[in-house]
Amino acid sequence: MSDETSDRRTGLRSTLASVGSERGRFAIGNLLSTNTETTGMTANSGSEAAETTAAERTTDVGADSGAEMSAADRPLGSPQVDNAIIESRDLDVFYGDTQALQGINMDIPEKQVTALIGPSGCGKSTFLRSINRMNDLIDVARVEGELHFHGKNIYDEDVDPVALRRKIGMVFQKPNPFPKSIFDNVAYGLRVQGKDDDIEEQVYTALERAALLDEVEDQLDESGLDLSGGQQQRLCIARAIATDPEVILMDEPASALDPVATSKIEDLVEELAQEYTVAIVTHNMQQAARISDKTAVFLTGGNLVEFDDTNRIFENPESDRVEDYITGKFG
Amino acid sequence: MSSERMDLSRNGNDVGTLGDRVARYAFFSCAFVTVLTTIAIILVLINGAVGFFRQATLVELLGDAVSAGSVDGAADAIGEGLAAQVTVTEFLFGTDWSPLIEPTSYGVLPLVWGTLVVTVGSALIAVPVGTLTAIYLSEYADERVRRTLKPILEILAGIPTIVYGFFALSFITPIIQFFFPQTGTFNATSAAIVVGIMIIPMISSLSEDAMSAVPDSLRNAAYGLGATKLEVSTQVVLPASLSGILAAYVLGLSRAIGETMAVALAMGMLPQITTNPLEEMQTMTAYMVQVGISDVSIGSIQYQSLFAVGLTLFAMTFAMNVLSMWVRSRYREEYQ
Amino acid sequence: MSTDTDGEFDFGGSAIERKRLYGKVFLGLCVSAAMVGIVALIALLADVIYESWGWLTWEFLTYPPSQVADHFVPENYGDLDTGPAGMYPAIVGSIYLIVLTAIFTLFLGVGAAIYLEEYAPDTRLTRFIEANITNLAGVPSIVYGLLGLAMFVRALQTGASLIAGALTLTLLILPIVIVSSQESLRAVPDSMRQASYGTGATKWQTIRNVVLPEAVPGIMTGIILSLSRAIGETAPILMVGAAVSMFTPPDLTSPTGAFSAMPMMIFEWASQPDAAFQHIAAAGIVVLLTILLLMNAAAVLIRNKYDRRA
């Protein structure tokens, strides 16, 4: 108990220290939050303390994660992983007065596929969009808590969302190629990021990796809008990987496609995981089971209920609600 | 170990944000020009109007005060400048407007009367015609008719007002003279008719927008109770879209008040208060045109009268625009 | 009265018959109201063409005006020492005026629209700016003329010049241009913006490379339609001091020089008591309306050519 009080005091101190630099709403959020931990402090003071705490709390997880996880909002399963590239800690997202995400704590492992599943409106897309700060584009969206990328909280004041998005790319639910040529679509990110040496080679490589080159090689000057839906989505994937990000976020990338196109996208996702970290939102549980290594299950109200290896989630989930959802009794 | 600290800052990643910040301020300045325009309009009108009621404008008074140096001198300069030239009462309630011919007189009421006659006259035409056209377009006409009729109304709205003035003189007035031979070349009726025609498109298209916004479920409910199309149109759609239609009327009338060239050409330049619509009258705008084309020296009281009349006109149209916005904002609430 | 039903129910009845009659009368009223606009347009065009018939010649387009009505009569052209009379300087003046106005509006109008659609936060200042634009659109054009007279001609010492006229017309059509450009920007799907941000583009890169190219056809259509309103405006340029008769076209290289414009010329002719000038005014109107027609056609062409989403 005394531990907890001291934790809270340091939390308060760090909050007060940050009042000057941060916007008021974050400070107020920290004060109100009952389970505020010293995440910022531990990140600053090295990870030894964090490691011990984490080790105490999770026996089955290796001890080299960057930030500890609070007990209160810890989902079932094993939300901390050894090779985390992204660590979400007590992440809340609000749209105006409604809270879309409640204290999300989970890691996303490097160069693996992490699936986010759950019924519609459960917040899985919101979580995905908070990873590369696409939520910043929504006026009323507000984020509290922390989300670490390579150990750096992306909601720190000194983080530029544009710089972040150059490392964390995104593919959207509906294919959204620009009304430009296929070549210019893929080259777009390279051009805006100033990576335009050998642009032709990079475009070809990206199309190749997106398994689209063979189909469009002779029509690179034609509009991206002339392609079929599945091809458009692979074009969008090529566009996202052309600039060589570390993480690719996919928001139900196959939901608008037919089964054949869907299976091509699924193959591609597995392929991509060899070089990239992939986080994919899907409402299709079979898809999640087929392609992902880890699965996070969000249920109503923006709660992350369980996070674990995909096999465990689908074969033997800890939560009854997750089991009901997986077996189709609910959702 | 993935906890090495990542540099995601602006500078560390060559995210060219200078252009971004410059663009933001440049675009804001463009938007702010509209605010400056409003401020400039108000200042220009008030400054000129002060000059009309006093002997010097605000700018001149301040200049005199500065150049006078001593406190006494400044006081004298301002005092001199503030000596009333035309009193506000004389301007607002005087019934004789004779600024260019001795003995001069500056009662604005004849001009307001002329404007009123045109506005009311044009409303008598445009309100029923515009409303019925809107009902036809929204409730009766099929897609093909709508596609023909709406562009025609748009063309009507796009014709320069000077052309309407010519049309009044060369077409409408001769017709009026055929029926009422005593009618002069310049008369209020002809002007009111063309201004009415001019604002029909505005009233019909805004009213139609309002009627189209009425949900079909309302219409179906009435049909289900055995109402005829006439009853649905007049007893369901019309009341439901009333505030949108009223806003359209107000905007149309505001446009009629500010209409210039057609009335300057067709209605004449004789300021008088008369109830005979076949006589020549002068509106506020027509007076401004009259001064605009005459060799009035800058700074003279005639020149300054432009701004006093302009301010009156601006105040009237501003009030109507605000009224229309208010009426419309009420109507938005109804469907959200 | 009820004849066409022979079942137990009476679907007719005098009350229903009367309602049907009212309905027909009302529909008749509506149709006639809708016809008023069409009839007025036809009458107006017919009147103008009839009045100008025989007066509109090539010489009318290429020669300076004259104070003497006879100089405009085609039959007299051969006998004139001074040559035929026309509205050449006014046509050139109007074109220059519109070109300058187009340049000013393009930057101001599109810039303001981009700010309001893409940048502006939902604050009271933004809402005030938007309400102010709505209100400005309802300010009578002659008031803009007073503004131009006091601000440009006098305060900024531009004199009664092309530049003063163009600036005045710019302020006049700015609200319409902003609103129509805003609509075009709003029509660009949000998914395009997200795609761009997703690849790590900055806001300005997104606007410049994705949003603007998509919105340009709509913006151009709006600007051309607004300019076609500006070219017919008489009151503002009259107040600014457009010359009633100029015998040489204005000089674009010295934009502070005097200028004439078509609507001003038409007003001058239409106010002449001499009946011959009515025909000359009508000829001028035909020229003005033709230019308007061409501008509108251009706007419609652009809209149709690029309207992929239709």
Side-chain angles (χ1 to χ4, degrees), chain A residues 9-255:
Chain A
R9 212 174 294 144
T10 34
L12 191 60
R13 205 184 304 141
S14 75
T15 305
L16 290 176
S18 69
V19 165
S21 62
E22 285 185 341
R23 272 167 289 178
R25 57 172 193 234
F26 286 107
I28 290 165
N30 284 349
L31 283 169
L32 291 177
S33 169
T34 49
N35 51 27
T36 304
E37 294 251 355
T38 57
T39 41
M41 299 285 285
T42 42
N44 283 332
S45 59
S47 54
E48 281 158 280
E51 276 167 27
T52 40
T53 343
E56 275 164 25
R57 281 173 183 166
T58 58
T59 45
D60 57 341
V61 161
D64 75 326
S65 88
E68 62 181 292
M69 208 174 261
S70 68
D73 277 322
R74 214 185 133 82
L76 296 169
S78 37
Q80 273 181 301
V81 300
D82 300 350
N83 53 342
I85 188 171
I86 287 159
E87 300 148 313
S88 168
R89 294 295 175 265
D90 295 325
L91 192 78
D92 296 329
V93 176
F94 300 86
Y95 292 130
D97 295 332
T98 39
Q99 187 164 3
L101 283 182
Q102 317 228 5
I104 302 301
N105 279 296
M106 65 174 272
D107 290 353
I108 291 177
E110 195 164 7
K111 294 192 178 167
Q112 288 188 7
V113 179
T114 303
L116 311 170
I117 63 171
S120 47
C122 66
K124 53 192 193 299
S125 290
T126 303
F127 179 65
L128 195 78
R129 295 168 60 90
S130 61
I131 297 176
N132 69 344
R133 291 184 62 171
M134 289 298 275
N135 281 332
D136 286 22
L137 303 174
I138 302 168
D139 277 346
V140 294
R142 188 161 56 86
V143 177
E144 287 169 13
E146 300 192 354
L147 197 140
H148 294 235
F149 174 54
H150 280 304
K152 168 74 178 166
N153 179 14
I154 64 159
Y155 287 98
D156 276 351
E157 281 290 292
D158 64 339
V159 172
D160 187 287
V162 173
L164 176 72
R165 290 181 202 131
R166 292 182 175 185
K167 301 204 159 58
I168 305 182
M170 188 152 195
V171 176
F172 299 84
Q173 186 167 0
K174 269 180 67 187
N176 53 358
F178 299 122
K180 300 171 186 282
S181 73
I182 292 172
F183 184 92
D184 287 342
N185 260 285
V186 182
Y188 181 82
L190 297 166
R191 286 184 178 135
V192 297
Q193 298 190 19
K195 295 177 178 170
D196 36 14
D197 306 332
D198 290 333
I199 205 159
E200 202 152 325
E201 196 188 317
Q202 297 188 66
V203 168
Y204 274 86
T205 313
L207 284 169
E208 174 92 67
R209 277 189 196 160
L212 188 63
L213 187 62
D214 295 344
E215 293 164 55
V216 300
E217 200 162 7
D218 317 323
Q219 51 185 84
L220 290 179
D221 293 335
E222 287 170 32
S223 168
L225 294 169
D226 293 341
L227 298 173
S228 73
Q231 288 174 323
Q232 286 190 9
Q233 194 60 301
R234 276 179 283 146
L235 177 64
C236 293
I237 293 175
R239 183 175 65 193
I241 61 180
T243 56
D244 211 22
E246 293 183 42
V247 180
I248 300 168
L249 308 175
M250 297 187 166
D251 190 355
E252 305 198 26
S255 68

Side-chain angles (χ1 to χ4, degrees), chain C residues 58-79:
Chain C
W58 180 248
E59 286 77 6
F60 184 74
L61 301 178
T62 51
Y63 280 88
S66 163
Q67 306 289 1
V68 188
D70 281 350
H71 294 186
F72 288 91
V73 182
E75 287 80 39
N76 298 344
Y77 285 168
D79 313 331

Side-chain angles (χ1 to χ4, degrees), chain C residues 25-310:
Chain C
V25 170
F26 183 68
L27 177 59
L29 274 176
C30 287
V31 172
S32 346
M35 294 303 287
V36 169
I38 301 177
V39 170
L41 182 65
I42 292 171
L44 186 147
L45 294 179
D47 175 54
V48 170
I49 292 171
Y50 172 78
E51 295 281 344
S52 71
W53 200 255
W55 292 76
L56 187 54
T57 59
W58 180 248
E59 286 77 6
F60 184 74
L61 301 178
T62 51
Y63 280 88
S66 163
Q67 306 289 1
V68 188
D70 281 350
H71 294 186
F72 288 91
V73 182
E75 287 80 39
N76 298 344
Y77 285 168
D79 313 331
L80 295 171
D81 302 334
T82 51
M87 65 182 317
Y88 176 65
I91 296 174
V92 177
S94 270
I95 290 171
Y96 286 175
L97 203 55
I98 283 316
V99 169
L100 284 178
T101 308
I103 294 169
F104 298 145
T105 355
L106 192 67
F107 286 103
L108 281 178
V110 178
I114 290 177
Y115 177 76
L116 291 172
E117 276 308 302
E118 307 289 332
Y119 286 92
D122 187 19
T123 58
R124 289 173 70 173
L125 175 66
T126 306
R127 282 195 291 275
F128 172 73
I129 293 178
E130 298 224 340
N132 179 56
I133 289 171
T134 314
N135 180 57
L136 275 181
V139 172
S141 61
I142 193 156
V143 173
Y144 283 95
L146 283 184
L147 174 69
L149 173 62
M151 201 164 80
F152 302 130
V153 178
R154 288 203 62 206
L156 298 180
Q157 304 279 313
T158 61
S161 63
L162 209 52
I163 196 102
L167 285 172
T168 309
L169 289 179
T170 300
L171 294 184
L172 171 73
I173 62 170
L174 201 51
I176 327 171
V177 172
I178 293 175
V179 170
S180 76
S181 301
Q182 270 182 282
E183 276 166 18
S184 306
L185 291 171
R186 217 172 294 148
V188 177
D190 230 20
S191 65
M192 293 288 122
R193 293 183 183 85
Q194 299 214 356
S196 176
Y197 289 126
T199 58
T202 64
K203 190 154 212 162
W204 171 230
Q205 284 173 328
T206 301
I207 293 170
R208 196 188 51 199
N209 298 323
V210 176
V211 179
L212 272 183
E214 273 290 272
V216 153
I219 291 176
M220 289 311 293
T221 306
I223 289 185
I224 295 176
L225 290 178
S226 310
L227 288 174
S228 78
R229 173 170 169 204
I231 203 171
E233 277 292 347
T234 317
I237 57 168
L238 183 147
M239 294 315 293
V240 166
V244 279
S245 50
M246 267 193 55
F247 299 96
T248 51
D251 184 358
L252 203 53
T253 55
S254 68
T256 51
F259 73 105
S260 181
M262 283 189 284
M264 196 62 213
M265 201 76 248
I266 293 165
F267 175 63
E268 164 73 4
W269 287 330
S271 3
Q272 299 289 331
D274 184 345
F277 273 106
Q278 293 308 307
H279 299 293
I280 300 165
I285 288 174
V286 172
V287 177
L288 177 63
L289 290 183
T290 308
I291 291 178
L292 275 181
L293 191 71
L294 291 177
M295 291 176 78
N296 278 279
V300 170
L301 275 181
I302 290 178
R303 182 160 54 189
N304 290 347
K305 181 153 184 239
Y306 291 95
D307 203 355
R308 266 191 300 259
R309 283 180 294 274

